[in-house]
Amino acid sequence: MRGLYRLLTRWWTAFALAASLALLGAAHAFERFGGLAPCNLCLKQREVYWGAVVIALTATLWHLVSRGSRGTPRIAAFLLALVFTTGAVTALFHMGGENGWWELPAACAGGGDVSLESLAALALGTAPVQAPVFCDAVTWRFLGLSMAGWNVLISAALAVFSLFAAKRPKDARAPRP
């Protein structure tokens, strides 16, 4: 068990990169193959994972290029903890709106691209009319949790693991000068 912990904390950014890409892939698969269009808050939750991909990829590449034998930079793990915590808070806000715990803002009334060009195309009749996707409508549940609920749990777990990686044992830290 200790060996698995050391492996996970030494290569946390690579694991976080794989987890973020897997979650983004699952979200896009639900959209593409499952027909579940994302709402505005769903898209915000995806942005968090794209941020995690950038941080984790940069730190992992840095580790590989610098031939670091003691793990990836701790600052990257702290940044990932902040990013995943942001994702958990965003997903919790979304889940609370879905469950009627609080009122969601008016911007959550519909998803999709809202720009001057898209509005002009819609007014001219050259754009397809799409039904708005409401953030408070749950379109999929598994074991009683919506996608936002699962995202709360997954993002919180990734944030905790990121903190463990940032506070890893002394033998896994970079040597001090």
Side-chain angles (χ1 to χ4, degrees):
M1 187 69 163
R2 183 172 285 195
L4 178 63
Y5 175 74
R6 285 188 180 162
L7 176 70
L8 187 65
T9 57
R10 283 185 186 188
W11 286 96
W12 174 247
T13 55
F15 286 111
L17 175 64
S20 296
L21 288 174
L23 289 165
L24 284 168
H28 287 289
F30 273 106
E31 179 182 351
R32 177 90 173 165
F33 304 114
L36 300 176
C39 67
N40 287 334
L41 284 174
C42 292
L43 295 174
K44 294 294 181 198
Q45 292 170 62
R46 288 183 193 180
E47 290 173 7
V48 170
Y49 286 112
W50 281 114
V53 164
V54 169
I55 293 168
L57 180 63
T58 303
T60 302
L61 289 176
W62 173 261
H63 174 67
L64 293 173
V65 168
S66 68
R67 295 185 181 156
S69 62
R70 297 192 178 249
T72 53
R74 293 176 65 196
I75 189 69
F78 278 121
L79 288 173
L80 286 170
L82 289 173
V83 167
F84 290 133
T85 301
T86 302
V89 169
T90 305
L92 182 65
F93 179 72
H94 189 184
M95 185 179 80
E98 288 176 341
N99 292 322
W101 298 341
W102 45 74
E103 197 69 28
L104 292 173
C108 293
D113 180 31
V114 179
S115 64
L116 187 58
E117 292 83 16
S118 65
L119 291 175
L122 189 61
L124 293 173
T126 58
V129 177
Q130 297 177 345
V133 180
F134 297 103
C135 293
D136 58 355
V138 178
T139 57
W140 181 87
R141 282 193 190 271
F142 181 68
L143 298 177
L145 287 176
S146 66
M147 280 191 198
W150 283 106
N151 198 12
V152 170
L153 297 177
I154 293 168
S155 293
L158 289 171
V160 168
F161 280 123
S162 295
L163 288 176
F164 283 148
K167 187 76 175 137
R168 61 185 174 264
K170 187 175 183 178
D171 67 335
R173 292 186 192 147
R176 292 189 174 166

